[in-house]
Amino acid sequence: MTNNEIWQIALRQSAVDVGCQPGDFLRPDNVVVHSRTSAAARRYLELPFDCHLVSYGANIVAAVRPGLDAVVRQYIDRYPTEHCFETPNLHVLNDALQAFGLRVCYMAEYFLPDCGLVRPLPCDFALRLLTQTDFGGLYLPQWSNALCEKRRALDVLGLGAYDGNTLVGLAGCSADCDEMWQIGIDVLPAYRRRGIASALISGLAVEIFKRGKVPFYCAAWSNLGSVRSAIKSGFRPAWVELTARSADFVAQQNQ
Protein backbone atom coordinates (compact mmCIF):
# COMPACT_ATOMS: atom_id res chain seq x y z
CA MET A 1 0.00 0.00 0.00
CA THR A 2 1.38 3.41 -1.00
CA ASN A 3 0.87 6.80 0.62
CA ASN A 4 -1.27 7.85 -2.33
CA GLU A 5 -3.47 4.78 -1.95
CA ILE A 6 -3.87 5.53 1.76
CA TRP A 7 -4.78 9.13 0.94
CA GLN A 8 -7.39 8.07 -1.58
CA ILE A 9 -8.95 5.59 0.85
CA ALA A 10 -9.23 8.31 3.50
CA LEU A 11 -10.79 10.74 1.02
CA ARG A 12 -13.35 8.15 -0.03
CA GLN A 13 -14.25 7.40 3.57
CA SER A 14 -14.62 11.07 4.47
CA ALA A 15 -16.84 11.51 1.43
CA VAL A 16 -19.10 8.71 2.64
CA ASP A 17 -19.17 10.19 6.14
CA VAL A 18 -20.30 13.65 5.03
CA GLY A 19 -22.23 12.75 1.88
CA CYS A 20 -20.10 14.34 -0.83
CA GLN A 21 -17.62 13.27 -3.52
CA PRO A 22 -13.96 12.53 -2.68
CA GLY A 23 -12.81 15.26 -5.04
CA ASP A 24 -14.83 17.86 -3.13
CA PHE A 25 -12.09 17.96 -0.45
CA LEU A 26 -9.54 19.03 -3.06
CA ARG A 27 -11.51 21.84 -4.67
CA PRO A 28 -10.38 25.47 -4.28
CA ASP A 29 -13.88 26.52 -3.20
CA ASN A 30 -15.89 25.40 -0.18
CA VAL A 31 -18.69 22.85 -0.45
CA VAL A 32 -21.93 22.59 1.54
CA VAL A 33 -24.04 19.41 1.41
CA HIS A 34 -26.99 18.04 3.34
CA SER A 35 -25.89 15.35 5.78
CA ARG A 36 -27.42 11.92 5.42
CA THR A 37 -27.11 8.48 6.95
CA SER A 38 -24.95 5.78 5.40
CA ALA A 39 -24.30 2.20 6.40
CA ALA A 40 -20.71 2.61 5.16
CA ALA A 41 -19.92 5.61 7.38
CA ARG A 42 -17.61 5.37 10.38
CA ARG A 43 -19.68 3.42 12.85
CA TYR A 44 -19.29 5.77 15.80
CA LEU A 45 -20.65 8.79 13.91
CA GLU A 46 -24.16 9.91 14.82
CA LEU A 47 -25.71 10.74 11.46
CA PRO A 48 -27.14 12.84 10.04
CA PHE A 49 -25.04 15.75 11.31
CA ASP A 50 -26.52 19.08 12.30
CA CYS A 51 -23.30 20.84 11.35
CA HIS A 52 -20.00 19.15 10.61
CA LEU A 53 -16.93 20.73 8.99
CA VAL A 54 -14.09 18.76 7.40
CA SER A 55 -10.88 20.06 5.86
CA TYR A 56 -7.95 18.30 4.22
CA GLY A 57 -6.28 21.69 3.89
CA ALA A 58 -7.50 22.93 0.52
CA ASN A 59 -11.02 23.99 1.51
CA ILE A 60 -13.90 23.12 3.84
CA VAL A 61 -16.67 20.63 3.16
CA ALA A 62 -19.65 21.25 5.43
CA ALA A 63 -22.36 18.66 6.03
CA VAL A 64 -25.42 20.33 7.53
CA ARG A 65 -29.07 19.72 8.22
CA PRO A 66 -31.56 21.48 5.93
CA GLY A 67 -32.03 25.09 6.91
CA LEU A 68 -28.42 25.69 7.94
CA ASP A 69 -26.97 25.95 4.44
CA ALA A 70 -26.83 29.74 4.26
CA VAL A 71 -25.61 30.23 7.84
CA VAL A 72 -22.72 27.80 7.49
CA ARG A 73 -21.88 28.91 3.95
CA GLN A 74 -21.61 32.52 5.10
CA TYR A 75 -19.20 31.50 7.85
CA ILE A 76 -16.85 29.23 5.91
CA ASP A 77 -16.65 31.66 2.98
CA ARG A 78 -15.91 34.59 5.29
CA TYR A 79 -12.60 33.41 6.78
CA PRO A 80 -9.54 31.47 5.59
CA THR A 81 -9.90 27.72 5.97
CA GLU A 82 -7.51 27.35 8.90
CA HIS A 83 -9.12 30.18 10.87
CA CYS A 84 -12.58 28.62 10.62
CA PHE A 85 -11.40 25.95 13.04
CA GLU A 86 -10.06 28.28 15.74
CA THR A 87 -11.00 31.21 17.90
CA PRO A 88 -11.69 34.08 17.67
CA ASN A 89 -13.43 33.36 14.33
CA LEU A 90 -15.04 30.24 15.73
CA HIS A 91 -17.14 32.39 18.08
CA VAL A 92 -18.93 33.74 15.01
CA LEU A 93 -20.10 30.25 14.03
CA ASN A 94 -21.02 29.36 17.59
CA ASP A 95 -23.10 32.53 17.97
CA ALA A 96 -24.93 31.84 14.70
CA LEU A 97 -25.64 28.22 15.61
CA GLN A 98 -27.10 29.08 19.00
CA ALA A 99 -30.14 30.53 17.23
CA PHE A 100 -30.80 26.94 16.05
CA GLY A 101 -30.23 25.35 19.45
CA LEU A 102 -26.71 24.21 18.56
CA ARG A 103 -23.21 24.82 19.86
CA VAL A 104 -19.73 23.85 18.71
CA CYS A 105 -18.90 20.58 20.47
CA TYR A 106 -16.06 18.45 19.07
CA MET A 107 -12.83 19.42 17.33
CA ALA A 108 -10.09 16.96 16.38
CA GLU A 109 -7.11 16.37 14.12
CA TYR A 110 -6.71 13.07 12.26
CA PHE A 111 -3.45 11.40 11.27
CA LEU A 112 -2.57 8.92 8.53
CA PRO A 113 0.54 6.72 8.39
CA ASP A 114 3.51 7.49 6.18
CA CYS A 115 4.48 4.15 4.64
CA GLY A 116 8.11 5.20 4.53
CA LEU A 117 8.20 5.94 8.26
CA VAL A 118 5.94 3.40 10.00
CA ARG A 119 8.02 0.57 11.44
CA PRO A 120 8.21 -1.28 14.77
CA LEU A 121 9.93 0.87 17.40
CA PRO A 122 11.96 -0.47 20.31
CA CYS A 123 10.40 -0.85 23.75
CA ASP A 124 11.92 -1.73 27.13
CA PHE A 125 8.90 -3.87 27.94
CA ALA A 126 7.55 -7.11 26.49
CA LEU A 127 4.93 -6.61 23.78
CA ARG A 128 2.03 -8.99 23.20
CA LEU A 129 -0.47 -9.03 20.36
CA LEU A 130 -4.05 -9.23 21.66
CA THR A 131 -7.34 -10.18 20.01
CA GLN A 132 -10.99 -9.85 21.00
CA THR A 133 -10.81 -12.91 23.24
CA ASP A 134 -8.17 -11.12 25.34
CA PHE A 135 -10.17 -7.94 25.89
CA GLY A 136 -12.87 -9.25 28.23
CA GLY A 137 -11.31 -8.03 31.48
CA LEU A 138 -9.73 -4.89 30.02
CA TYR A 139 -12.78 -2.66 29.72
CA LEU A 140 -11.58 -0.49 32.58
CA PRO A 141 -11.15 3.31 32.93
CA GLN A 142 -7.38 3.13 32.48
CA TRP A 143 -7.82 1.57 29.02
CA SER A 144 -10.77 3.67 27.83
CA ASN A 145 -8.88 5.26 24.93
CA ALA A 146 -7.60 1.93 23.61
CA LEU A 147 -10.91 0.08 23.97
CA CYS A 148 -14.54 1.20 23.86
CA GLU A 149 -16.99 -0.67 26.06
CA LYS A 150 -20.01 0.70 24.16
CA ARG A 151 -18.71 -0.76 20.90
CA ARG A 152 -16.95 -3.94 21.99
CA ALA A 153 -17.68 -5.70 18.73
CA LEU A 154 -15.54 -3.16 16.85
CA ASP A 155 -12.43 -3.71 19.01
CA VAL A 156 -10.60 -6.19 16.82
CA LEU A 157 -6.89 -6.04 17.65
CA GLY A 158 -4.55 -4.75 20.33
CA LEU A 159 -0.93 -4.57 21.38
CA GLY A 160 -0.01 -4.56 25.06
CA ALA A 161 3.19 -3.64 26.89
CA TYR A 162 3.90 -5.70 30.01
CA ASP A 163 6.13 -5.15 33.02
CA GLY A 164 6.31 -8.75 34.11
CA ASN A 165 2.67 -9.81 34.22
CA THR A 166 1.35 -6.27 34.63
CA LEU A 167 -0.17 -4.52 31.62
CA VAL A 168 1.31 -1.00 31.60
CA GLY A 169 0.35 0.20 28.12
CA LEU A 170 -2.31 -0.75 25.59
CA ALA A 171 -2.97 0.23 22.00
CA GLY A 172 -6.23 -0.99 20.54
CA CYS A 173 -7.87 -0.57 17.18
CA SER A 174 -11.53 -0.47 16.28
CA ALA A 175 -12.91 -1.49 12.89
CA ASP A 176 -14.68 1.83 12.44
CA CYS A 177 -15.25 1.31 8.72
CA ASP A 178 -14.52 -1.27 6.05
CA GLU A 179 -11.06 -0.08 5.03
CA MET A 180 -9.80 1.93 8.02
CA TRP A 181 -9.13 0.93 11.63
CA GLN A 182 -8.65 3.61 14.28
CA ILE A 183 -5.88 3.31 16.88
CA GLY A 184 -6.35 4.41 20.49
CA ILE A 185 -3.64 4.39 23.16
CA ASP A 186 -3.35 4.34 26.96
CA VAL A 187 -0.25 4.13 29.15
CA LEU A 188 -0.33 4.01 32.93
CA PRO A 189 0.86 7.36 34.40
CA ALA A 190 3.91 5.87 36.12
CA TYR A 191 5.17 4.46 32.80
CA ARG A 192 4.73 7.48 30.54
CA ARG A 193 7.53 9.31 28.68
CA ARG A 194 9.43 6.05 28.22
CA GLY A 195 8.62 5.37 24.55
CA ILE A 196 5.84 2.90 25.28
CA ALA A 197 3.08 4.78 23.45
CA SER A 198 5.03 5.18 20.21
CA ALA A 199 6.19 1.54 20.31
CA LEU A 200 2.59 0.35 20.73
CA ILE A 201 1.13 2.67 18.09
CA SER A 202 3.78 1.83 15.50
CA GLY A 203 3.65 -1.89 16.26
CA LEU A 204 -0.12 -2.02 16.00
CA ALA A 205 -0.05 0.03 12.78
CA VAL A 206 2.24 -2.59 11.23
CA GLU A 207 -0.17 -5.36 12.25
CA ILE A 208 -3.11 -3.43 10.78
CA PHE A 209 -1.28 -3.05 7.48
CA LYS A 210 -0.66 -6.81 7.46
CA ARG A 211 -4.43 -7.28 7.52
CA GLY A 212 -4.94 -5.04 4.50
CA LYS A 213 -6.44 -2.12 6.43
CA VAL A 214 -5.39 1.51 6.85
CA PRO A 215 -4.57 2.56 10.42
CA PHE A 216 -5.58 6.08 11.42
CA TYR A 217 -5.22 8.11 14.58
CA CYS A 218 -7.15 10.97 16.19
CA ALA A 219 -6.03 13.54 18.73
CA ALA A 220 -7.15 16.85 20.14
CA TRP A 221 -4.90 19.68 18.98
CA SER A 222 -4.05 20.53 22.59
CA ASN A 223 -3.07 16.95 23.50
CA LEU A 224 0.59 17.43 22.67
CA GLY A 225 1.66 14.13 24.19
CA SER A 226 -0.74 12.24 21.93
CA VAL A 227 0.30 14.25 18.87
CA ARG A 228 3.99 13.68 19.57
CA SER A 229 3.38 9.94 19.93
CA ALA A 230 1.57 9.85 16.59
CA ILE A 231 4.36 11.71 14.81
CA LYS A 232 7.08 9.59 16.41
CA SER A 233 5.18 6.49 15.26
CA GLY A 234 5.28 7.59 11.61
CA PHE A 235 1.89 9.28 11.35
CA ARG A 236 1.33 12.68 9.79
CA PRO A 237 -1.56 15.19 9.99
CA ALA A 238 -4.16 14.51 7.28
CA TRP A 239 -7.47 16.22 8.03
CA VAL A 240 -9.41 18.11 10.71
CA GLU A 241 -13.05 17.96 11.80
CA LEU A 242 -15.42 20.16 13.78
CA THR A 243 -18.86 19.05 14.92
CA ALA A 244 -21.74 21.02 16.43
CA ARG A 245 -24.30 19.30 18.65
CA SER A 246 -27.40 20.42 20.49
CA ALA A 247 -26.91 22.91 23.31
CA ASP A 248 -28.40 20.38 25.73
CA PHE A 249 -25.88 17.72 24.68
CA VAL A 250 -22.98 20.13 25.13
CA ALA A 251 -24.26 21.11 28.58
CA GLN A 252 -24.42 17.44 29.57
CA GLN A 253 -20.85 16.89 28.38
CA ASN A 254 -19.69 19.76 30.57
CA GLN A 255 -21.24 18.43 33.78
Side-chain angles (χ1 to χ4, degrees):
M1 194 175 295
T2 67
N3 285 340
N4 183 62
E5 288 171 334
I6 290 171
W7 183 256
Q8 295 300 325
I9 288 171
L11 288 172
R12 289 199 301 269
Q13 186 59 52
S14 290
V16 169
D17 295 340
V18 303
C20 69
Q21 297 299 314
D24 288 340
F25 298 105
L26 308 178
R27 289 170 49 169
D29 57 320
N30 297 318
V31 177
V32 178
V33 297
H34 285 166
S35 180
R36 60 178 183 263
T37 60
S38 172
R42 281 176 284 161
R43 293 174 178 91
Y44 60 87
L45 296 179
E46 297 186 23
L47 300 177
F49 293 116
D50 290 308
C51 174
H52 183 72
L53 310 184
V54 180
S55 178
Y56 276 76
N59 69 346
I60 297 174
V61 176
V64 303
R65 75 187 192 197
L68 284 178
D69 312 52
V71 170
V72 175
R73 166 69 72 180
Q74 183 179 28
Y75 173 72
I76 63 177
D77 285 348
R78 180 176 178 181
Y79 303 109
T81 295
E82 61 275 17
H83 295 318
C84 286
F85 291 84
E86 64 180 11
T87 56
N89 298 152
L90 196 52
H91 291 300
V92 174
L93 177 62
N94 197 56
D95 290 346
L97 291 177
Q98 287 193 85
F100 297 86
L102 304 171
R103 300 190 71 183
V104 172
C105 186
Y106 298 126
M107 294 187 291
E109 184 173 18
Y110 288 82
F111 298 75
L112 289 172
D114 185 325
C115 290
L117 299 175
V118 173
R119 63 190 185 282
L121 295 177
C123 184
D124 293 334
F125 300 91
L127 303 183
R128 300 180 196 168
L129 192 64
L130 307 174
T131 61
Q132 282 184 325
T133 57
D134 302 308
F135 295 153
L138 297 179
Y139 287 96
L140 302 169
Q142 60 264 42
W143 312 123
S144 60
N145 290 310
L147 302 174
C148 181
E149 187 169 10
K150 292 182 179 180
R151 296 183 293 273
R152 289 189 178 210
L154 299 182
D155 293 331
V156 292
L157 196 65
L159 188 64
Y162 289 82
D163 186 356
N165 292 321
T166 301
L167 180 65
V168 298
L170 177 64
C173 65
S174 56
D176 290 335
C177 45
D178 291 342
E179 295 185 276
M180 301 176 70
W181 290 0
Q182 181 171 193
I183 294 177
I185 180 72
D186 288 295
V187 178
L188 296 182
Y191 289 84
R192 291 173 185 169
R193 303 182 67 84
R194 300 170 71 174
I196 296 174
S198 55
L200 292 175
I201 294 168
S202 61
L204 188 55
V206 170
E207 293 296 330
I208 293 171
F209 272 131
K210 288 179 181 178
R211 288 155 177 79
K213 307 296 182 180
V214 173
F216 72 106
Y217 188 91
C218 175
W221 294 302
S222 57
N223 192 342
L224 297 182
S226 184
V227 171
R228 290 189 186 110
S229 294
I231 292 173
K232 186 177 179 181
S233 303
F235 285 73
R236 294 294 179 263
W239 79 94
V240 295
E241 297 185 3
L242 180 151
T243 308
R245 297 289 300 271
S246 72
D248 289 341
F249 179 86
V250 174
Q252 290 173 3
Q253 295 294 104
N254 285 327
Q255 289 181 356

